[in-house]
Amino acid sequence: MIHKITHSVMFHHFHNGQHLPSQGSLSGSDFIKMINWLGEKYNLLDANTYQEKFLNQTLQDKDICLTFDDALKCQFDIAVPILERYGIKAFFFVYSSAFSEHPDLLEVYRYFRTSFYDDIDKFYDDFFSCIKKRDLKEFSNEYLKFTNLKYLSNFPFYSNNDRWFRYLRDQYLDNKDYHEIMNSLMLKKSFNITLAKKNLWMTEKDLIKISNKGHIIGLHSYSHPTKMSKLNNSAQKMEYQKNFDHLTKVVKKPITTMAHPCGDYSKETLNILNAMNIEIGFRSSMSIKKICSKLEIPREDNANVLREMRNEHI
């Protein structure tokens, strides 16, 4: 089952008067332009049609679909009405801790660095300084490793600071140290986590509405670990089983699709998902265009699509 070109387009953040602009976020008008552009270049399929054709091995090279990660409220407020206007059904990949009293703080931290810094590089300066103070020599050694790895080079829309921050977060710091640094920075800025959480994610009622409109709700783990592959087998299984149980209870439909958080997974991850009878899964980049299995379909980030659109008009 190999389709060399077919893929999906991946979306996260949107902005308007209610939702702040942030790195990589799209306005509603940009989203409309992108849908029109994609419709001219590709065969833009509804999610259920894409899934059926993939499983039947009848997808054509230019067949694509749209996917949305993380159950963000801005998607529900901005993207969903536009999808309805165009009659497009998409995949929405949801991590369940966002609906709990103790959600994963990935999006909270993102909101913090967007709303409390007028320049993202000023946040990076503060973040890097915290690590330098711990051990300057080790910081320098890690930067050399990072440079030699060409870390996240397959995401050209990331700046060098973006990539260095993600390397430190995902490869160097453990979770405890990372949270301590972020909490110290938020404390200095008098950032209120409780207030920040109120407008970040959809509600369960929003998920039900999306599902009832014909969009497909899929797995994205329970707590959205940035490095799923670092977790042991039982921890990975718990991530997806808790996610599966929650979403099944909310939408009351079979859950047969998924996307890997941050595109990270291992052979154990794939085995767990196969055992759960997940039919189709998506990666988070086009670094490997070949589809190696039903759970490894590539996705193009909307930032790369936007760049290509703009280059055509230069």
Side-chain angles (χ1 to χ4, degrees):
M1 188 184 293
I2 297 175
H3 308 286
K4 294 182 179 178
I5 300 178
T6 183
H7 62 281
S8 80
V9 180
M10 175 176 63
F11 297 89
H12 287 85
H13 296 86
F14 294 82
H15 63 259
N16 61 7
Q18 184 180 1
H19 299 281
L20 291 175
S22 60
Q23 281 185 300
S25 66
L26 286 177
S27 66
S29 60
D30 280 339
F31 185 46
I32 289 171
K33 291 175 184 176
M34 189 171 294
I35 288 175
N36 291 330
W37 187 87
L38 289 169
E40 292 175 0
K41 299 281 185 178
Y42 300 95
N43 303 318
L44 185 49
L45 303 179
D46 285 339
N48 62 324
T49 303
Y50 188 95
Q51 183 174 354
E52 289 171 6
K53 292 186 72 174
F54 182 85
L55 295 175
N56 293 333
Q57 301 187 47
T58 58
L59 277 176
Q60 301 300 307
D61 284 344
K62 290 195 173 183
D63 289 342
I64 64 169
C65 60
L66 306 184
T67 67
F68 297 79
D69 286 5
D70 302 340
L72 300 171
K73 185 67 173 177
C74 61
Q75 297 170 2
F76 185 81
D77 291 343
I78 302 169
V80 171
I82 293 172
L83 293 175
E84 290 301 297
R85 192 187 315 170
Y86 279 81
I88 298 171
K89 309 303 179 187
F91 291 100
F92 285 82
F93 298 116
V94 175
Y95 68 95
S96 296
S97 75
F99 302 86
S100 71
E101 292 183 4
H102 303 287
D104 177 80
L105 295 177
L106 182 71
E107 285 298 328
V108 173
Y109 293 157
R110 189 182 196 280
Y111 180 77
F112 165 66
R113 61 183 188 258
T114 295
S115 60
F116 276 67
Y117 288 87
D118 55 12
D119 185 334
I120 189 64
D121 286 320
K122 291 181 180 178
F123 161 76
Y124 289 142
D125 286 343
D126 284 353
F127 184 83
F128 299 152
S129 292
C130 289
I131 302 177
K132 282 180 185 178
K133 289 176 183 177
R134 295 179 170 215
D135 190 324
L136 180 58
K137 184 177 180 180
E138 194 169 273
F139 180 87
S140 300
N141 289 338
E142 286 299 324
Y143 190 78
L144 183 60
K145 290 181 190 177
F146 158 77
T147 303
N148 291 335
L149 280 174
K150 297 182 179 179
Y151 191 69
L152 296 179
S153 59
N154 52 319
F155 293 89
F157 49 87
Y158 283 157
S159 69
N160 191 65
N161 275 347
D162 291 334
R163 290 191 287 270
W164 179 218
F165 163 71
R166 284 163 174 77
Y167 173 89
L168 291 170
R169 180 191 69 186
D170 299 338
Q171 303 296 336
Y172 173 65
L173 296 171
D174 62 29
N175 280 337
K176 182 182 177 182
D177 288 341
Y178 174 59
H179 291 311
E180 283 180 356
I181 290 171
M182 292 303 299
N183 286 333
S184 69
L185 293 177
M186 292 191 297
L187 187 63
K188 288 179 183 178
K189 295 277 189 178
S190 299
F191 178 75
N192 189 315
I193 289 180
T194 303
L195 287 177
K197 290 192 295 188
K198 287 185 176 180
N199 200 38
L200 283 180
W201 293 289
M202 299 180 197
T203 65
E204 290 182 342
K205 288 183 178 179
D206 294 335
L207 286 186
I208 293 169
K209 288 179 182 177
I210 289 175
S211 178
N212 288 343
K213 289 177 183 292
H215 301 288
I216 294 180
I217 306 297
L219 303 178
H220 203 44
S221 78
Y222 181 80
S223 66
H224 200 297
T226 56
K227 282 293 176 182
M228 181 70 73
S229 61
K230 287 188 174 182
L231 302 183
N232 61 37
N233 190 276
S234 60
Q236 290 194 38
K237 187 173 182 179
M238 183 199 70
E239 282 286 340
Y240 282 111
Q241 192 61 55
K242 287 180 69 175
N243 190 203
F244 180 90
D245 292 343
H246 169 249
L247 295 183
T248 302
K249 182 179 179 181
V250 172
V251 302
K252 295 179 171 57
K253 293 180 181 177
I255 303 296
T256 61
T257 68
M258 67 80 60
H260 302 282
C262 297
D264 189 77
Y265 58 93
S266 63
K267 289 182 179 179
E268 288 76 15
T269 318
L270 301 181
N271 290 337
I272 289 165
L273 294 166
N274 277 316
M276 295 173 70
N277 296 317
I278 301 303
E279 296 178 349
I280 183 172
F282 294 87
R283 302 173 68 252
S284 66
S285 77
M286 297 286 287
S287 59
I288 301 174
K289 294 184 179 180
K290 176 183 175 182
I291 300 175
C292 301
S293 78
K294 67 178 184 178
L295 300 175
E296 298 173 279
I297 301 170
R299 292 193 290 175
E300 184 68 279
D301 194 285
N302 73 87
N304 288 331
V305 176
L306 191 62
R307 179 184 287 108
E308 188 176 348
M309 289 169 56
R310 289 173 174 168
N311 286 342
E312 282 192 356
H313 293 89
I314 293 177

